[in-house]
Amino acid sequence: MPERPDRRRPTPPRPPEPTPTDPGHRSVVDSAVYHGGRRIASPSSLAETFRRLREQPGGMAWIGLHRPTEAELHSLAAEFNLHPLSIEDALEAHQRPKLERYGDTLFVVLRAARYMDALEEVDFAELHIFVGPDFLITVRHGAAPDLPAVRRRMEETPELLALGPEAALYAILDVVVDGYAPVVEGVQNDMDEIETEVFRGDPEVSRRIYELSREMVEFQRATRPLVGMLHSLMAGFAKYGTDEELQRYLRDVADHVTHTSERVDGFRQALTEILTVNATLVSQQQNAEMRALAEAGFEQNEEIKKISSWAAILFAPTLVGTIYGMNFQDMPELQWAAGYPFAILLMAVVCVSLYVIFKKRDWL
């Protein structure tokens, strides 16, 4: 398998997502009214959607929004009696996954994820879902998940969509959870590469471990609450008379998200262990480098001792010869017949004495 580009390599910046204030931004991605699981109207505005739903008893509205404006959300709240707290959450975003019931309306917050192979990063997006007796509203903040694909799949199985907004909710839950699988595989590949870099002694691996650990913290925040949310939905099967087919659907989704959550927990534990191993290897490498520096310093000291010793030995006869070479008229020993042999003997005695002293001290 070809190796993915290193996450440390510079990558081109992502194009910014359109915001509600951008001229090209369109909040309403798709809006439709269904009856018996089949699309009977595709209104072009929220007001028209409200009108067509009122004209169709037993119908269901499915409204898909992407980063809607405050006015659009308030119009939805007024039409479908949505709780102000849920509208506030949908406007602010940056919510943790949760499930809240406000009367006969269910408010669900999900964190979708996708693995960006070119960047070797995990991109998280937020999805808010309002589910009522005859409507389902999705408010998406980010690129994931692919809700138009979910809608097309449901429209291809009208008998399932005919079960109502809950069926669409479970289909969205399913696509969000299924989207975690490629992320898990991508992270597993990153883990394998990091282990190789750790034992190869790559100096940048610590930063990569830190970045991946942060992503796993975000991944845990996306998956761990979802386990409890799905079990809460399953606990209400009897109370809310959930269809048997939808019950099987949701149990399957719960199994998948439990498996994913366990994998993510395992990744965090493995990253902690890898970081410990890397710290140990770095410490060992630093100790080896310190020992090498100490040995090099010791060897340099020995050489300096030898050089200094020979310099001192050679300095002694130079000093004697310099004194007797001054040739002052009144200097003693200049007229002495034994002066020359005495000077030579003095030089030899001093040199031999210094050599013996330095040798005893292991300087030579």
Side-chain angles (χ1 to χ4, degrees):
M1 178 182 294
E3 188 172 318
R4 292 190 175 100
D6 197 314
R7 72 167 66 224
R8 300 188 306 273
R9 296 174 185 168
T11 52
R14 303 176 196 162
E17 289 190 5
T19 62
T21 57
D22 292 338
H25 179 72
R26 185 172 182 271
S27 299
V28 181
V29 178
D30 194 0
S31 180
V33 176
Y34 298 88
H35 187 271
R38 300 187 183 279
R39 183 189 288 240
I40 60 172
S42 300
S44 59
S45 65
L46 292 179
E48 187 180 353
T49 303
F50 303 156
R51 181 180 61 80
R52 294 298 298 268
L53 182 61
R54 296 190 204 104
E55 294 174 352
Q56 186 62 52
M60 179 191 83
W62 185 344
I63 302 172
L65 305 174
H66 180 226
R67 299 174 64 86
T69 63
E70 184 174 354
E72 289 172 329
L73 284 178
H74 283 303
S75 69
L76 289 167
E79 177 68 23
F80 297 114
N81 194 28
L82 304 180
H83 197 280
L85 290 178
S86 62
I87 294 298
E88 182 180 341
D89 288 345
L91 278 171
E92 294 179 359
H94 305 295
Q95 304 293 320
R96 300 194 68 175
K98 63 179 181 179
L99 183 150
E100 300 282 353
R101 282 196 179 273
Y102 299 101
D104 58 356
T105 301
L106 191 65
F107 177 61
V108 180
V109 178
L110 302 175
R111 294 291 303 278
R114 59 172 179 160
Y115 186 80
M116 305 180 68
D117 192 72
L119 302 177
E120 285 194 340
E121 291 181 358
V122 182
D123 180 50
F124 295 93
E126 195 165 322
L127 179 63
H128 302 249
I129 307 171
F130 299 88
V131 184
D134 60 351
F135 66 88
L136 183 135
I137 303 167
T138 59
V139 179
R140 183 162 53 88
H141 297 269
D146 187 1
L147 294 182
V150 178
R151 188 190 290 261
R152 287 193 299 270
R153 189 180 68 182
M154 293 297 290
E155 289 178 349
E156 291 171 359
T157 55
E159 64 279 1
L160 185 60
L161 187 55
L163 296 176
E166 278 191 344
L169 170 64
Y170 295 168
I172 294 172
L173 287 169
D174 183 54
V175 77
V176 168
V177 173
D178 284 349
Y180 294 152
V183 178
V184 169
E185 295 303 319
V187 171
Q188 181 64 66
N189 184 75
D190 285 353
M191 296 277 290
D192 295 339
E193 291 178 2
I194 284 174
E195 288 179 354
T196 301
E197 291 175 3
V198 164
F199 291 101
R200 195 171 57 199
D202 191 324
E204 295 292 331
V205 70
S206 296
R207 186 177 68 85
R208 191 174 183 188
I209 294 172
Y210 172 73
E211 290 175 351
L212 191 57
S213 297
R214 288 185 60 186
E215 290 176 357
M216 289 305 96
V217 170
E218 288 296 316
F219 208 178
Q220 275 189 323
R221 290 174 179 171
T223 57
R224 186 173 288 177
L226 194 52
V227 176
M229 290 166 52
L230 292 173
H231 282 93
S232 296
L233 284 174
M234 290 189 292
F237 282 163
K239 180 178 179 181
Y240 297 100
T242 305
D243 183 83
E244 287 289 337
E245 181 66 19
L246 294 183
Q247 292 185 29
R248 287 191 289 269
Y249 212 101
L250 191 61
R251 278 193 289 265
D252 181 66
V253 175
D255 289 341
H256 289 172
V257 77
T258 300
H259 175 70
T260 300
S261 181
E262 291 172 351
R263 290 288 301 275
V264 175
D265 291 343
F267 286 150
R268 282 208 66 188
Q269 180 63 32
L271 283 169
T272 301
E273 294 173 356
I274 291 174
L275 189 60
T276 302
V277 170
N278 182 61
T280 302
L281 293 176
V282 169
S283 178
Q284 291 177 349
Q285 182 180 359
Q286 290 176 343
N287 290 339
E289 291 174 354
M290 292 297 294
R291 283 196 301 269
L293 289 173
E295 291 173 359
F298 178 76
E299 293 176 358
Q300 289 177 352
N301 289 338
E302 293 299 313
E303 294 297 325
I304 291 172
K305 288 179 182 179
K306 292 179 181 180
I307 294 171
S308 301
S309 299
W310 286 112
I313 292 171
L314 294 175
F315 176 73
T318 302
L319 178 63
V320 175
T322 301
I323 293 173
Y324 282 97
M326 289 188 293
N327 295 324
F328 288 109
Q329 187 173 0
D330 295 331
M331 280 185 63
E333 292 104 12
L334 288 180
Q335 305 300 323
W336 186 26
Y340 176 72
F342 175 77
I344 296 298
L345 179 63
L346 179 62
M347 293 179 191
V349 169
V350 172
C351 289
V352 171
S353 299
L354 289 175
Y355 179 81
V356 171
I357 291 172
F358 291 142
K359 193 69 175 178
K360 287 183 177 179
R361 294 185 178 184
D362 292 329
W363 284 30
L364 291 173

